[in-house]
Amino acid sequence: MAHVPQTFFDALAVRTWCGLALEALGRAREEIDAINVFPVADGDTGTNLYLTVESAVAAVEAVFTAHETGSRAPGSTDGPLLADAVHAMAHGALIGAQGNSGTILAQLLRGMAQVLADGETPHTDGPGLRRALHNAAESARRAVEHPVEGTVLSVAAAAAEAAVAADGDCGAVARAAYEGARAALAATPGQLGVLGRAGVVDAGGRGLVAVLAALVETFTGETPRAVPVRVAPAHARVADAADGPEEGAADRTTAGAGGECGDGPEDGGPAFEVIYLLEAGDAAVARLRERLDGLGDSLVVVGGDGLWNVHVHVDDAGAAVEAGIEAGRPHRIRITHFGAGAVHTRAGERLPQEPAQRAVVAVVPGEGLAGLYAEAGATSVLARPGEPPASGELVDAVRRAHAREVVLLPNDAELRHTAAAAAEQARAEGVRVALIPTRSPVQGIAALAVHEPGRRFDEDVVAMTSAAGATRYAEVAVAERESWTTAGICQAGDVLGLIEGDVAVIGSDVTAVAETVLDRMLAAGGELVTLVLGDEAPESIAGHLEARVRESYLAVDTVVHHGGRQGAPLLIGVE
């Protein structure tokens, strides 16, 4: 859609740029997904960048809406302040950042905001934009624990360098940054061997070029020329060398053939991507960086002022989340399992596969269960007490699962409508979704235990639904206030034993109430007891209940899991 070119970088320019960037990424999303081979060939970089910018757009629009409805900053007259708009842009990108490239883009926008919001002027000019782009590139590089050349970081650095050397207004600076980024993007296959062998440019860098093209359009009204994304693979360039290599080809071939940055040992890469927002201080985040760096790779920590976005690839997803708990308060935790179609570049460096045929997406209440579900191959969405996920988060998880067929496990009766809305949205996007109305995480565990991706979809859903339905569930919780229950009046602090959602036992001791609940459930029979312990559960409760089952119920097995901060001291399942 045509627009009037902006002269200065003000709040309206921020709004225009964000909107144009979202449109550009929307057009390029599938193309970027298709060339995504580094750091993981999971085919979602374009989608991740789009969702990150989408969150930034929503935050900026909220600033304008607040201004138009009268909730204006002091002294504001004609429109929102530049500082308000860029802070909203950066914050929106931070909280909505997806994947490795989305997280880095969020830090680029934050780096720009730090410069553009520094002062009381309602706008900035060419020199201000130069400083903003330079700070963006520097801050993004600092956020990545082990920077790799030939990635979005190289493209951002080249854009900043070209911008700093440019003279003129915002349009001239934006155009210089774009051309610098475009040239750097074309060079990425020669800097990173996996790109050269695949014959593609870096996907994250391609996304940044699209964002910078939107910046040019914001200030000039012109859409820059298209960007090539595929080149001759490295082996083809070597084969052509006998006929006379193009200038610089030898250098690029050498760079691609010998220990290029980012290629690690051939024993395969980490199995999980872990992302979460973290409320923590600077010192705690510094310690977190050290710990996560020892657990995995692709570590990016962005943000500041007490709020951070943490991204890492690890084999032990639970340990990565536990590190965040020690550092502060993690939330909006997302754990994605890199399936057979999402190959870490260290494990084979090949082009991304087609979407997986089937995946499972599950809502879980604690970090321990999130790790357990992820190890079983499910994409997990963490729901903390009082913080149930929105339908958009579930849709996002379905997208991250990158499959044609998805089984959705809400694991909470209160989430049935939210999950149904998410399923409808995913179906509208072409994904076949089956919603199994699991009412407890223990039912989800039972369903996941019989999940067989090789089975026909309908048969798999029936088997999982049957396993979930055959699992009775219970919960031992602590009352927060005085209230009426099906077992009588309870007081704040009382221990409640809930069976199938109804209060069946009121007591004062967690272990005693759990034993009574377990006896009542096993009175109707059962072959397997599943115990999920929360952080607040007594240390001896698992051993006590296991002994109780072993001594009183022959041929009944017990399995114990640790759920972490799941809100209830104990979850019980009986199959």
Side-chain angles (χ1 to χ4, degrees), residues 360 373 376 409 442-453 455 460 463-464 467-468 471 528 530 561 575:
V360 176
Y373 272 73
L409 306 175
V442 294
Q443 289 188 322
I445 292 173
L448 202 54
V450 300
H451 169 54
E452 290 187 15
R455 230 174 357 206
D460 198 30
M464 295 176 72
T471 303
L528 176 66
T530 300
H561 301 294
E575 301 177 48

Side-chain angles (χ1 to χ4, degrees), residues 361-363 381 389-399 408 410 415 418-420 422:
V361 172
V363 180
V381 179
S391 61
E393 291 181 68
L394 299 187
V395 173
D396 174 38
V398 171
R399 291 169 179 151
L408 183 56
L415 288 177
T418 300

Side-chain angles (χ1 to χ4, degrees), residues 335-341 355-362 373 376-380 396-409 431-436 447-448 451-455 457 460-461 464:
I335 299 175
T336 303
H337 180 259
F338 294 132
Q357 184 62 33
R358 190 171 309 157
V360 176
V361 172
Y373 272 73
T379 296
S380 301
D396 174 38
V398 171
R399 291 169 179 151
R400 287 188 286 116
H402 197 50
R404 298 184 181 90
E405 302 167 342
V406 171
V407 179
L408 183 56
L409 306 175
V431 181
R432 188 181 184 188
V433 180
L435 171 60
I436 297 179
L448 202 54
H451 169 54
E452 290 187 15
R455 230 174 357 206
F457 185 61
D460 198 30
V461 171
M464 295 176 72

Side-chain angles (χ1 to χ4, degrees), residues 287-385:
R287 293 190 296 271
L288 174 66
R289 281 179 178 274
E290 294 182 5
R291 181 168 178 187
L292 292 180
D293 189 35
L295 289 175
D297 62 24
S298 296
L299 174 59
V300 185
V301 181
V302 304
D305 301 320
L307 182 63
W308 310 81
N309 191 305
V310 179
H311 169 282
V312 67
H313 294 170
V314 293
D315 280 321
D316 190 341
V321 176
E322 288 171 6
I325 294 171
E326 291 181 5
R329 178 179 177 270
H331 52 108
R332 294 184 68 168
I333 300 171
R334 300 187 294 275
I335 299 175
T336 303
H337 180 259
F338 294 132
V343 181
H344 199 286
T345 53
R346 299 192 314 181
E349 298 178 345
R350 63 177 186 262
L351 285 171
Q353 304 296 309
E354 289 294 316
Q357 184 62 33
R358 190 171 309 157
V360 176
V361 172
V363 180
V364 292
E367 299 84 2
L369 281 181
L372 174 68
Y373 272 73
E375 287 170 8
T379 296
S380 301
V381 179
L382 192 70
R384 292 200 174 281

Side-chain angles (χ1 to χ4, degrees), residues 98-397:
Q98 305 281 331
N100 189 72
S101 294
T103 307
I104 293 173
L105 177 60
Q107 187 68 6
L108 287 167
L109 297 180
R110 177 180 171 80
M112 292 186 68
Q114 289 173 330
V115 172
L116 296 173
D118 184 18
E120 299 180 358
T121 57
H123 63 260
T124 193
D125 52 12
L129 182 55
R130 289 201 298 267
R131 293 192 300 273
L133 290 168
H134 178 266
N135 191 62
E138 290 293 315
S139 62
R141 186 169 288 270
R142 289 193 300 269
V144 178
E145 195 66 22
H146 299 288
V148 175
E149 298 308 320
T151 65
V152 63
L153 295 177
S154 302
V155 176
E161 183 178 354
V164 169
D167 292 322
D169 59 11
C170 287
V173 173
R175 190 179 297 280
Y178 170 78
E179 292 297 340
R182 190 176 188 277
L185 178 66
T188 57
Q191 294 176 289
L192 195 55
V194 59
L195 301 179
R197 287 189 286 278
V200 298
V201 298
D202 179 66
R206 169 64 182 90
L208 179 58
V209 169
V211 172
L212 291 173
L215 187 65
V216 173
E217 188 175 355
T218 298
F219 292 111
T220 68
E222 301 173 4
T223 303
R225 52 185 171 163
V227 179
V229 298
R230 297 188 182 276
V231 297
H235 60 80
R237 294 202 300 271
V238 173
D240 291 342
D243 298 325
E246 63 181 290
E247 183 179 355
D251 291 340
R252 291 198 305 274
T253 302
T254 301
E260 61 276 353
C261 295
D263 285 359
E266 296 298 317
D267 58 352
F272 303 104
E273 177 185 59
V274 179
I275 305 175
Y276 50 80
L277 290 178
L278 178 69
E279 296 174 14
D282 292 358
V285 169
R287 293 190 296 271
L288 174 66
R289 281 179 178 274
E290 294 182 5
R291 181 168 178 187
L292 292 180
D293 189 35
L295 289 175
D297 62 24
S298 296
L299 174 59
V300 185
V301 181
V302 304
D305 301 320
L307 182 63
W308 310 81
N309 191 305
V310 179
H311 169 282
V312 67
H313 294 170
V314 293
D315 280 321
D316 190 341
V321 176
E322 288 171 6
I325 294 171
E326 291 181 5
R329 178 179 177 270
H331 52 108
R332 294 184 68 168
I333 300 171
R334 300 187 294 275
I335 299 175
T336 303
H337 180 259
F338 294 132
V343 181
H344 199 286
T345 53
R346 299 192 314 181
E349 298 178 345
R350 63 177 186 262
L351 285 171
Q353 304 296 309
E354 289 294 316
Q357 184 62 33
R358 190 171 309 157
V360 176
V361 172
V363 180
V364 292
E367 299 84 2
L369 281 181
L372 174 68
Y373 272 73
E375 287 170 8
T379 296
S380 301
V381 179
L382 192 70
R384 292 200 174 281
E387 298 180 12
S391 61
E393 291 181 68
L394 299 187
V395 173
D396 174 38

